[in-house]
């Protein structure tokens, strides 16, 4: 019989498929979504568990604990289900709903933590998971960030598969970097087996610190390395072996998203956000490569996990990732020319109430009750806040009332007196829709986003000015 004895036998062994690029070099994508749990992380889930069993760290009746952006959780959860372990996974609130539901479907306990915290905060998913593992009887923290079994899983499976499948003709490997396990393990194997001939190239969200970005938030899940502005000591995973990489290609979110939406529509392959980042980088690598070159790009998971995000036009429009219908009145038509170049009026949440008050009073001449977005990042034209950084807002009327009633003091930190964030509208949204959403909020001011980044503030009268005048 041509059969498998368990789900664990269906991990990895994923195919390579040709991607049409128009360039001379051949590009083959490794479709990791065809692994049984739907991602490259199935490989490390099983390997980390089996190593822990061998080392006596995980025993029958034990509980597996991990902080995960979803896929490692799925990989661990399916192996835990097969092997009869309990499992608790800690995720941030920015992980897609599809992935969280999948974790629960495999019988895992899921703890959701806020994404807006620095790494050393006790409620950050990684710190929380470590504590949970320590305080749970029989608890074992998988710790993909620092577990040698993570890169090893790719050294033992992903790398050899690529070498075999290309009959040793692979010349370039392109992969995203999250924990670094995939690129470090597969890359090291391919370098060793080819006598260092294979070039290993990282693909990275443009603002990730791996490729030299400033660490501000981006919208591609599970890849790159974000640094919260309150972080005092940034820690990189030891699963990431920098010596294996020849170079890193930064890819803007917009380009990654355009690439993966295009791939679904032109080549019938539905892949996730980090796959878009990797593929956009692979296109660039292939453009500079020769006709005998064979570029292999790892596409870590499926687009089905992100139907509510990257393949949802409402989500894309609201964050300013789509241009919208250019024949209709759009938010873009209402944004004053040149606002891209001038700094966004903004208050840092590290300011005290007295400073915030001074900024708001200076604006009171222009508007009745000035309101400004606020968040924990340095302002200025060179450092425009990304949507997730705008954690709240501050208005003159609320600050004055709080001071009057003694519920706030001038020396208090603004962070402790924030009002809810201002509504966000995307520059490609129809004006009518933006107006309807703005009407449901307390303040008559919205933040206009382009490519997820705050461009300008606008009021309902500013938006209405872009509507055609009735005849
Ligand atoms: N893309 C996706 C969708 C992932 O889940 C991960 C792993 N978190 C990565 C990319 C990065 O892979 P690695 O952790 O092996 O660097």
């Amino acid at each position: 019989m041509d059969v498998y004895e368990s789900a664990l036998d269906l991990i990895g062994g994923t195919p390579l498929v040709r991607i049409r690029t128009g360039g001379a070099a051949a590009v083959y994508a490794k479709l990791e979504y065809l692994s049984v749990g739907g991602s490259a992380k199935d490989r490390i889930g099983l390997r980390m568990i089996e190593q822990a069993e061998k080392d006596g760290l995980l025993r029958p009746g034990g509980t597996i604990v991990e902080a995960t952006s979803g896929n490692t959780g799925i990989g661990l959860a399916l192996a835990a289900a097969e092997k009869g372990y309990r499992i608790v996974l800690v995720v941030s609130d920015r992980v897609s709903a599809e992935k969280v539901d999948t974790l629960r479907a495999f019988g895992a306990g899921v703890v959701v933590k806020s994404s807006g915290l620095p790494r050393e905060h006790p409620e950050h998913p990684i710190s929380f998971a470590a504590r949970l593992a320590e305080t749970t009887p029989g608890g074992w923290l998988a710790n993909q960030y620092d577990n040698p079994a993570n890169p090893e899983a790719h050294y033992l499976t992903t790398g050899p598969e690529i070498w075999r499948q290309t009959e040793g003709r692979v010349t370039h490997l392109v992969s995203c970097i999250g924990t670094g396990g995939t690129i470090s393990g597969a890359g090291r194997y391919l370098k060793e087996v080819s006598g260092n001939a294979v070039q290993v190239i990282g693909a990275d969200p443009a603002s990730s610190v791996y490729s030299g970005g400033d660490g501000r938030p981006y919208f591609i899940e599970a890849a790159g390395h974000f640094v919260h502005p309150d972080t005092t000591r940034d820690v990189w995973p030891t699963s990431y072996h920098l010596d294996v990489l020849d170079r890193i290609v930064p890819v803007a979110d917009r380009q990654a998203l355009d690439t993966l939406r295009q791939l679904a529509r032109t080549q019938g392959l539905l892949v996730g956000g980090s796959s878009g980042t990797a593929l956009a980088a692979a296109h660039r690598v292939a453009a500079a490569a020769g006709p005998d070159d064979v570029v292999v790009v790892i596409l870590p998971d499926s687009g089905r996990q992100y139907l509510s995000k990257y393949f949802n036009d409402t989500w894309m429009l609201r964050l300013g990732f789509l241009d919208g219908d250019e024949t209709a009145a759009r938010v873009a038509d209402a944004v004053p020319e040149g606002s891209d170049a001038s700094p966004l009026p903004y208050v840092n949440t590290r300011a005290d109430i007295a400073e915030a008050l001074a900024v708001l009073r200076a604006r009171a001449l222009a508007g009745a009750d000035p309101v400004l977005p606020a968040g924990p990042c340095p302002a200025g034209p060179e450092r425009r806040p990304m949507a997730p950084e705008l954690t709240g807002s501050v208005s003159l009327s609320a600050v004055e009332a709080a001071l009057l009633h003694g519920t706030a003091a001038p020396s208090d930190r603004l962070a402790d007196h924030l009002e809810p964030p201002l509504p966000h509208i995307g520059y490609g949204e129809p004006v009518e829709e933006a107006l309807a959403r703005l009407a449901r909020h307390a303040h008559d001011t919205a933040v206009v986003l382009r490519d997820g980044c705050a461009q300008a503030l606008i009021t309902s009268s500013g938006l209405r000015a872009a509507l055609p005048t009735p005849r």
Side-chain angles (χ1 to χ4, degrees), residues 348-360:
N348 194 311
T349 42
R350 292 195 194 98
D352 61 26
I353 289 285
E355 279 174 75
L357 192 62
V359 177
L360 288 164

Side-chain angles (χ1 to χ4, degrees), residues 38-41 44 68-72 99 144-145 150-151 154 175-184 210 220-224 237 239-240 272-275 298-302 305-306:
S39 89
K41 296 301 202 161
I44 76 162
T68 167
S69 58
N71 285 330
T72 300
K99 283 197 216 155
Q144 56 178 324
Y145 304 93
N150 168 7
H154 295 287
S175 165
C176 279
I177 315 158
T179 65
T182 308
I183 198 162
S184 304
Y210 288 154
I220 300 301
E221 265 183 45
S239 297
Y240 177 29
S274 64
S275 299
I298 297 181
L299 306 188
D301 71 352
S302 165
Q305 307 212 88
Y306 311 94

Side-chain angles (χ1 to χ4, degrees), residues 158-469:
T158 319
E161 283 173 27
I162 294 170
W163 188 250
R164 209 169 44 243
Q165 288 167 312
T166 60
E167 297 179 339
R169 289 184 50 216
V170 56
T171 54
H172 299 75
L173 173 73
V174 181
S175 165
C176 279
I177 315 158
T179 65
T182 308
I183 198 162
S184 304
R188 185 177 300 284
Y189 178 86
L190 291 174
K191 282 216 173 268
E192 282 178 13
V193 75
S194 69
N196 234 14
V198 173
Q199 283 194 46
V200 177
I201 299 140
D204 203 37
S207 61
S208 156
V209 290
Y210 288 154
S211 51
D214 64 6
R216 80 178 71 179
Y218 42 83
F219 291 86
I220 300 301
E221 265 183 45
H225 191 80
F226 152 78
V227 182
H228 190 281
D230 290 340
T231 300
T232 47
R233 197 173 66 88
D234 183 30
V235 185
W236 286 18
T238 56
S239 297
Y240 177 29
H241 307 161
L242 278 77
D243 62 306
V244 173
L245 276 74
D246 292 289
R247 60 198 155 97
I248 305 187
V249 178
V251 178
D253 283 356
R254 174 69 175 246
Q255 201 194 356
L257 295 171
D258 287 350
T259 304
L260 71 105
R261 286 165 65 97
Q262 180 78 358
L263 186 72
R265 287 163 194 212
T266 59
Q267 301 193 44
L269 296 169
L270 188 64
V271 297
S274 64
S275 299
T277 303
L279 192 56
H283 280 304
R284 272 187 248 169
V285 169
D292 294 333
D293 285 328
V294 175
V295 179
V296 171
V297 54
I298 297 181
L299 306 188
D301 71 352
S302 165
R304 289 208 186 167
Q305 307 212 88
Y306 311 94
L307 293 177
S308 64
K309 298 174 107 179
Y310 315 136
F311 293 99
N312 178 321
D313 284 0
T314 305
W315 187 90
M316 291 284 288
L317 262 177
R318 287 188 181 177
L319 286 168
F321 283 119
L322 291 180
D323 295 337
D325 175 3
E326 289 176 23
T327 62
R330 296 175 309 148
V331 171
D333 305 320
V335 176
E337 290 268 333
S339 59
D340 280 20
S342 57
L344 182 88
Y346 169 83
V347 190
N348 194 311
T349 42
R350 292 195 194 98
D352 61 26
I353 289 285
E355 279 174 75
L357 192 62
V359 177
L360 288 164
R361 285 206 170 127
R363 291 180 66 84
L365 302 171
D369 177 20
V371 55
L372 288 175
C377 88
E382 72 295 338
R383 208 340 181 152
R384 285 174 167 274
M386 298 296 289
E389 292 179 297
L390 300 173
T391 53
S393 66
V394 55
S395 65
L396 183 59
S397 58
V399 170
E400 283 182 340
L403 287 171
L404 187 68
H405 296 121
T407 51
S411 60
D412 286 357
R413 256 172 39 117
L414 175 60
D416 300 324
H417 296 279
L418 280 186
E419 295 174 67
L422 298 177
H424 296 165
I425 56 180
Y427 83 111
E429 281 193 69
V431 166
E432 303 274 11
E433 255 171 52
L435 276 169
R437 290 223 316 290
L438 184 51
R440 293 198 293 272
H441 286 265
H443 297 295
D444 184 42
T445 303
V447 179
V448 179
L449 301 179
R450 184 178 186 126
D451 297 348
C453 182
Q455 296 294 311
L457 298 183
I458 199 155
T459 62
S460 55
S461 63
L463 280 169
R464 265 187 228 105
L467 291 173
T469 32

Side-chain angles (χ1 to χ4, degrees), residues 32-52:
E32 289 292 295
Y33 71 77
L34 291 171
S35 179
V36 70
S39 89
K41 296 301 202 161
D42 294 354
R43 301 172 189 267
I44 76 162
L46 179 62
R47 178 107 205 134
M48 291 194 298
I49 288 178
E50 293 193 333
Q51 191 61 47

